[in-house]
Amino acid sequence: MDNKELMKFYIDLQEDVKASLISEEEGTNPEQIFTEIALSYLAEAGETENYRVCFDEKLSKRGVEHKINGYSLYENYETLDLFVTIYNAESSIQSITKGDAEKTIERAAKFFRNAIYKDYVKEIEESSEIFDLAQTLANAPEVREYLTRVNVFLLTNGEVKSDLKTSDTIAGYTTFYRTIDIKYIFNISNESRVPIEINFEQSGYKVPCIANVIENTDYQSWLAIIPGTALADIYEQYGARLLEQNVRSFLQFTGKINKGIRNTILKEQHMFMAFNNGIAATAEEVTIADLPNNQGKTIAQVKDFQIVNGGQTTASIYHTWKKDKVDISKVFVPVKLTIVKDRENFSEIVGRIAEYANTQNKVSASDLSSNRENHVLLEKLSRTIWAPPIFGETTQTRWFFERSRGQYKNERMRLGITPSKRKLFDKQNPRNQMFTKEMLAKYINSYEEVYSGKKIVIGPHIVVRGSQKNYAQFLNYNFSVKPDNIWFEDAVAKAILFITAEKVYGIKPNAIGDMRYITVPYSIAWLGYKLDYKLNLYKIWKQQSLGDLLKSKLHEIMSKIEDYIKINAPGSLYGEWAKKEECWIAIKNEGFGIDIDSLKSDLESKSSEKRKKMSEDETQKAEIEASISRLKSIHIKTWKKIENWGRETLHLTQYQYDMASTLSSKIRNNKNITDIERNQGEVILNIVADLNPELFFDMDDFFCEDNIKKKEEVDITIELIEKIVQWDKRNKRLDAYKYRFMVDLLEGKKTLTDRNKFLVRLNLKAIEKYGFR
């Protein structure tokens, strides 16, 4: 690992923490902001899901009894992730001692150990952010039935160099310990995830296999038989991390037991191979070994092992073994293993295999591709539509849609190539106006319920279930319309509504309560339902804010709804009840004595301003104009530096560094840039921003020099042109065609455009060498 790159990543991360601290409301702190950032990386890499950042620390005379910075209880109750954080604000990476790491991990483990016992709930304040989880662990029957794995994560922006214990058993539950330090976060920020490596040989498992003899450059296939015990062991350690991310996100894997598979294991284990279709998996590399006595081949090791089809088979084998205490030594599972050779397109190929392996499911490959198209359209809209300036400001801003992780950071680096340009980028693209796919799903799904038949498939109870479940429902039921500018503006208005509601709710100690993640989506959904979804979203978009009356009404609604849930939730399991449709139905049918007639000025009416839909051609034109403007913002001297760098380092092809020269010439002479030149210019700038952004650092100086020269330059006027013509008539130093050009300007046959002034200036410099003053 490059220490320079790691340090740069650390500095950027610390800047992110500071920037978020400024933009967030009062009550948050750097440790929790870092926790949020770290968990967003882990979730993107598929190593956790539906996480909730919350803080609780129990102090006694002996010191800190327990500490929690966040948790994730999976929808199927199979897995609980607990997160505890060590954060430092230093400018350099700090080493975390083994003692500090183990002590911190034990504080999280102690919380779980105590929370499982019912009496401990009484010791936790009801206002604590962790009370809901403790209540669920102590009282929810699903926890007793399904919970099989607890992961305790130590999150830190420091470096942990010591080996810590990896597993344990707490209160009868298998517990795994994970260290997520700055190096680990850096790795998953670059690679999307840290590959799972499995050594079957070392674990004592035989996985006999045969190869597909037909080879090609894209992949190699193996057919294998994996023992059920090996599959159960792998699943116990990695859980849903084994599942390729498209499967997790789009197919809503639940990990619940399939009764047919369970019955086969319990009654007819020897028939498992005959009855079961097996699993499909992919890997980056495979190591093959010979079985003894010429019995064939076995898979010894696999790197980046991912199950693309057969997650339910895997989970069912595991749960039957774990819960029923059954000997599964006679269970064997057929496996189709695909080794992807094409490293450049590895992620895309694995994703496509996952899609086609799962075409029998509700979310098909065509659904996924159309959703990707919508995401691309939304990205284009977010880069070309300017939001109206906020009252009192003159600068227009954008709402930046991050279609894939790191886009905002990459765009900031790519477009903010000098200090002044970075400052401009930050002003035009505020960090608090960046939103992801999951955030978009939360904003939109909170606003308006959607039915499929008699079932409510979109509503606040879905939002409360967590980002991945909510996002999957969003794709399935609430994102079929092609986004246009009106759709985008309404989506941003819903984002402003949600974000403002969160601020109105507040952060402790100045908060309505401790259920913001439940109360906010429920309150927005209730308001939308009661107003028949007639809220004037265009007004919110134009003002980029909510009126005081609407904010005041939101506070009243949230206070009433929070109280209602706390009073009516069965067994005080607030979070669990809020995930159910019956909770939403009960709440939407309540009036709470709230007067919403006072909001008439915030509703659409016949006199509401008419909106113009932007065509796809207009959107594309705006995108092209922005791209050309970006290329022209690069100084011609910088293009020359890029050309020389590309030639010397071979980081650019000859075609590309020749293109850099072409662009420099076209920008200098103010000529039109073609589509091919524009596309190639963007590619070149991306390469430079990625490999050597230092090439841009002195660009501000170049522009500053140009401004000084402009001030010193003689103004080109008709009077000056007449003097030049008279002088050259006598001295004959200009070429005939250049002299004729000057005469045409003098006689009015040509006009003094910027381009022609530029040519006059060249002629002026030429004759100055011969004494013209």
Side-chain angles (χ1 to χ4, degrees):
M1 183 189 297
D2 188 333
N3 284 331
K4 185 180 174 184
E5 283 297 306
L6 177 65
M7 193 61 208
K8 184 176 181 299
F9 176 77
Y10 176 81
I11 291 167
D12 286 346
L13 187 144
Q14 296 293 73
E15 279 186 13
D16 283 350
V17 171
K18 288 175 189 172
S20 296
L21 198 59
I22 293 167
S23 64
E24 288 285 339
E25 56 266 61
E26 290 181 18
T28 190
N29 61 65
E31 184 173 277
Q32 289 304 82
I33 290 171
F34 165 72
T35 302
E36 175 77 50
I37 292 170
L39 291 185
S40 68
Y41 278 117
L42 285 176
E44 186 78 14
E47 300 203 27
T48 189
E49 63 179 53
N50 190 23
Y51 65 85
R52 187 177 167 214
V53 176
C54 54
F55 180 78
D56 190 79
E57 191 175 52
K58 184 182 180 184
L59 304 172
S60 70
K61 291 177 181 178
R62 291 172 292 182
V64 179
E65 288 286 317
H66 76 234
K67 181 185 175 187
I68 295 289
N69 291 86
Y71 71 86
S72 168
L73 181 59
Y74 288 38
E75 187 197 359
N76 55 12
Y77 297 91
E78 179 196 75
T79 303
L80 169 67
D81 293 339
L82 295 173
F83 307 102
V84 61
T85 303
I86 298 177
Y87 173 79
N88 70 77
E90 302 298 323
S91 57
S92 60
I93 299 170
Q94 303 296 301
S95 289
I96 308 299
T97 66
K98 185 175 184 179
D100 283 346
E102 288 181 338
K103 187 165 57 180
T104 304
I105 285 172
E106 180 53 33
R107 287 168 180 166
K110 194 168 183 182
F111 166 80
F112 174 71
R113 188 182 295 115
N114 291 338
I116 280 293
Y117 299 108
K118 293 184 180 183
D119 290 346
Y120 184 63
V121 176
K122 297 171 185 174
E123 296 181 34
I124 300 178
E125 291 288 332
E126 193 171 334
S127 61
S128 165
E129 292 181 322
I130 214 76
F131 176 80
D132 201 14
L133 174 64
Q135 184 85 324
T136 299
L137 291 176
N139 297 314
E142 292 91 345
V143 169
R144 304 282 178 216
E145 186 177 351
Y146 295 117
L147 185 63
T148 56
R149 181 192 305 102
V150 179
N151 296 314
V152 177
F153 292 78
L154 170 64
L155 309 176
T156 179
N157 64 338
E159 192 174 352
V160 180
K161 296 178 180 176
S162 310
D163 290 330
L164 308 176
K165 65 178 178 179
T166 56
S167 64
D168 201 352
T169 301
I170 298 177
Y173 292 92
T174 305
T175 305
F176 295 96
Y177 299 100
R178 304 271 313 278
T179 299
I180 309 297
D181 67 357
I182 190 67
K183 280 189 173 180
Y184 195 95
I185 296 169
F186 173 71
N187 285 336
I188 59 176
S189 75
N190 281 336
E191 301 173 19
S192 296
R193 69 180 184 282
V194 173
I196 291 173
E197 298 189 34
I198 297 166
N199 192 322
F200 292 113
E201 193 173 49
Q202 199 175 67
S203 302
Y205 293 115
K206 291 178 182 176
V207 186
C209 62
I210 56 170
N212 176 3
V213 292
I214 301 171
E215 289 206 20
N216 60 65
T217 55
D218 290 330
Y219 71 93
Q220 170 74 53
S221 284
W222 296 82
L223 294 177
I225 299 171
I226 187 169
T229 48
L231 205 54
D233 278 353
I234 295 167
Y235 187 76
E236 177 162 68
Q237 184 172 353
Y238 297 108
R241 281 182 67 205
L242 280 173
L243 300 174
E244 200 281 327
Q245 211 157 351
N246 275 344
V247 180
R248 258 195 318 275
S249 297
F250 297 106
L251 303 180
Q252 303 175 45
F253 170 74
T254 63
K256 289 180 181 174
I257 300 174
N258 179 297
K259 289 179 182 177
I261 294 174
R262 180 175 178 271
N263 286 336
T264 302
I265 295 170
L266 293 174
K267 298 172 184 176
E268 300 178 278
Q269 271 195 39
H270 63 290
M271 297 299 294
F272 195 92
M273 276 277 290
F275 290 169
N276 191 269
N277 289 329
I279 65 174
T282 62
E284 179 187 330
E285 292 176 17
V286 63
T287 304
I288 304 297
D290 292 316
L291 285 167
N293 304 321
N294 294 320
Q295 289 181 315
K297 305 285 187 185
T298 182
I299 295 175
Q301 296 178 53
V302 283
K303 181 182 178 183
D304 202 356
F305 185 73
Q306 295 176 72
I307 294 173
V308 297
N309 185 266
Q312 195 175 64
T313 293
T314 306
S316 298
I317 291 170
Y318 172 74
H319 281 287
T320 307
W321 166 66
K322 194 78 173 176
K323 292 295 182 184
D324 295 303
K325 311 295 182 188
V326 178
D327 175 11
I328 56 171
S329 58
K330 293 180 182 177
V331 173
F332 293 91
V333 184
V335 182
K336 182 181 79 173
L337 180 64
T338 303
I339 311 303
V340 180
K341 296 178 180 178
D342 186 348
R343 302 309 309 145
E344 286 188 10
N345 299 308
F346 180 78
S347 296
E348 183 195 342
I349 292 171
V350 171
R352 287 175 63 201
I353 292 170
E355 288 172 18
Y356 288 110
N358 285 283
T359 50
Q360 72 272 27
N361 290 281
K362 179 178 284 188
V363 183
S364 66
S366 61
D367 292 328
L368 293 177
S369 61
S370 68
N371 284 320
R372 280 201 290 267
E373 182 189 358
N374 277 359
H375 285 129
V376 171
L377 285 172
L378 193 57
E379 180 186 5
K380 287 180 178 179
L381 290 164
S382 88
R383 304 299 190 272
T384 52
I385 293 178
W386 291 93
I390 297 169
F391 182 76
E393 293 282 337
T394 54
T395 306
Q396 286 187 294
T397 61
R398 290 191 184 99
W399 282 78
F400 190 103
F401 174 56
E402 193 173 66
R403 184 165 60 87
S404 57
R405 168 170 284 288
Q407 273 190 323
Y408 181 86
K409 181 180 173 184
N410 292 340
E411 286 287 283
R412 187 171 184 261
M413 184 187 297
R414 191 167 74 92
L415 302 180
I417 49 185
T418 66
S420 60
K421 285 185 182 293
R422 180 164 292 193
K423 191 175 178 182
L424 180 64
F425 178 87
D426 290 345
K427 202 166 186 181
Q428 292 178 339
N429 304 273
R431 191 179 296 270
N432 61 356
Q433 289 181 196
M434 184 276 285
F435 61 101
T436 63
K437 300 187 292 287
E438 292 80 9
M439 290 161 74
L440 175 73
K442 179 173 65 174
Y443 301 147
I444 291 178
N445 283 2
S446 293
Y447 182 72
E448 185 173 351
E449 64 178 7
V450 175
Y451 276 81
S452 179
K454 293 184 178 180
K455 187 174 176 60
I456 303 174
V457 291
I458 298 292
H461 59 297
I462 302 292
V463 178
V464 170
R465 291 178 192 177
S467 58
Q468 287 185 319
K469 175 72 176 177
N470 183 56
Y471 178 58
Q473 291 295 96
F474 172 69
L475 289 182
N476 284 338
Y477 300 107
N478 215 10
F479 198 39
S480 57
V481 178
K482 263 190 177 182
D484 57 24
N485 61 303
I486 293 175
W487 192 97
F488 178 79
E489 289 166 4
D490 284 352
V492 169
K494 290 166 189 174
I496 293 168
L497 180 63
F498 195 100
I499 293 164
T500 306
E502 286 192 317
K503 288 184 176 176
V504 170
Y505 186 96
I507 287 180
K508 288 185 173 183
N510 303 310
I512 288 171
D514 57 301
M515 289 169 29
R516 189 173 81 164
Y517 77 106
I518 295 171
T519 303
V520 168
Y522 264 90
S523 300
I524 289 171
W526 183 90
L527 179 67
Y529 179 77
K530 294 298 180 184
L531 294 175
D532 196 24
Y533 308 111
K534 292 291 191 289
L535 195 63
N536 192 335
L537 296 172
Y538 190 45
K539 180 182 176 183
I540 296 173
W541 160 259
K542 286 200 303 178
Q543 294 180 350
Q544 289 292 291
S545 63
L546 304 187
D548 290 340
L549 183 62
L550 185 51
K551 284 194 274 191
S552 172
K553 191 61 67 177
L554 272 172
H555 190 280
E556 183 186 355
I557 294 167
M558 288 190 289
S559 300
K560 296 278 179 69
I561 285 178
E562 175 134 339
D563 288 344
Y564 182 86
I565 292 174
K566 286 187 172 179
I567 292 166
N568 291 279
S572 298
L573 295 171
Y574 316 139
E576 298 311 303
W577 192 49
K579 293 175 186 175
K580 296 178 179 176
E581 186 178 308
E582 65 186 68
C583 178
W584 167 231
I585 290 172
I587 285 174
K588 75 175 183 176
N589 289 330
E590 285 287 333
F592 302 114
I594 297 172
D595 172 27
I596 57 170
D597 290 340
S598 58
L599 294 175
K600 282 182 181 176
S601 62
D602 289 295
L603 303 184
E604 293 174 348
S605 64
K606 289 180 181 178
S607 61
S608 293
E609 193 173 335
K610 299 297 178 188
R611 303 167 72 177
K612 186 188 173 188
K613 183 177 175 179
M614 192 189 297
S615 68
E616 286 188 37
D617 287 344
E618 287 172 314
T619 304
Q620 188 177 16
K621 185 182 176 184
E623 191 183 6
I624 290 169
E625 286 173 357
S627 176
I628 290 173
S629 174
R630 191 153 50 242
L631 298 181
K632 287 184 174 180
S633 73
I634 306 299
H635 197 280
I636 54 174
K637 288 183 181 177
T638 305
W639 280 115
K640 185 65 181 174
K641 284 174 67 178
I642 290 170
E643 178 192 349
N644 294 338
W645 169 80
R647 184 185 292 109
E648 290 164 8
T649 63
L650 301 181
H651 286 313
L652 297 179
T653 64
Q654 181 173 346
Y655 177 79
Q656 286 172 328
Y657 60 70
D658 286 346
M659 183 61 74
S661 175
T662 299
L663 286 165
S664 175
S665 172
K666 286 212 164 184
I667 292 166
R668 179 192 299 109
N669 298 317
N670 201 23
K671 289 189 174 179
N672 288 336
I673 294 172
T674 68
D675 283 344
I676 291 173
E677 290 162 352
R678 178 176 59 79
N679 289 328
Q680 284 299 315
E682 291 279 13
V683 171
I684 292 166
L685 291 183
N686 286 343
I687 292 170
V688 176
D690 186 42
L691 298 178
N692 191 12
E694 289 85 356
L695 286 174
F696 299 120
F697 287 0
D698 52 5
M699 203 160 74
D700 277 349
D701 295 336
F702 294 154
F703 282 115
C704 189
E705 289 168 10
D706 286 351
N707 288 333
I708 293 169
K709 284 179 183 176
K710 275 183 183 178
K711 288 177 182 176
E712 293 173 349
E713 279 180 351
V714 176
D715 191 25
I716 303 299
T717 62
I718 291 295
E719 289 73 23
L720 176 60
I721 293 169
E722 186 177 9
K723 288 180 182 178
I724 293 171
V725 168
Q726 294 302 327
W727 184 89
D728 199 64
K729 198 173 184 179
R730 295 190 303 274
N731 296 282
K732 299 195 177 342
R733 292 294 181 180
L734 289 175
D735 293 333
Y737 74 93
K738 291 180 180 178
Y739 175 76
R740 186 70 250 166
F741 167 75
M742 301 297 286
V743 171
D744 285 347
L745 284 171
L746 187 62
E747 294 176 351
K749 293 177 182 176
K750 292 186 187 296
T751 55
L752 265 183
T753 61
D754 287 342
R755 165 84 181 144
N756 288 342
K757 283 183 180 180
F758 171 75
L759 295 174
V760 170
R761 199 162 270 117
L762 292 179
N763 290 341
L764 177 61
K765 284 180 181 177
I767 62 175
E768 279 178 340
K769 295 175 185 175
Y770 298 102
F772 176 82
R773 292 289 178 269

